[in-house]
Amino acid sequence: MTVHDQIDWSQCSLVEVKLKVQSGAPVLQGTRTPVAAIVDNFDYGVSVAEISEQFAIPQDLVQAVLTYAKSHRVAHPV
């Protein structure tokens, strides 16, 4: 995710926001894994399999997060 892109996670059932978890950053539900870390890694060329292994998350869940992110990116002008 570039500095100028944001993702609206509000409608994603896989994501939750809790003030005491990762300072309120959107995380994968039931974990402390920021979804931005998943998206950023993928954007930098890390494969779904590698992200899955790195964060100990099933590949289908990684793919679901990436699919949601792709369809909910909101570009912001500089």
Side-chain angles (χ1 to χ4, degrees):
M1 179 169 50
T2 66
V3 189
H4 306 293
D5 288 342
Q6 287 190 339
I7 299 169
D8 177 8
W9 294 105
S10 64
Q11 299 300 310
C12 184
S13 62
L14 302 173
V15 174
E16 64 185 2
V17 175
K18 293 183 178 178
L19 292 178
K20 294 184 179 186
V21 177
Q22 296 292 346
S23 299
V27 297
L28 197 56
Q29 192 171 43
T31 74
R32 297 182 59 81
T33 304
V35 287
I38 295 170
V39 174
D40 287 346
N41 273 277
F42 185 77
D43 286 350
Y44 288 117
V46 180
S47 72
V48 170
E50 291 171 314
I51 294 169
S52 172
E53 184 176 328
Q54 178 182 357
F55 292 105
I57 299 168
Q59 287 188 35
D60 60 333
L61 196 52
V62 172
Q63 189 60 58
V65 167
L66 294 172
T67 299
Y68 181 90
K70 183 178 180 181
S71 65
H72 288 79
R73 285 187 188 240
V74 179
H76 293 280
V78 177

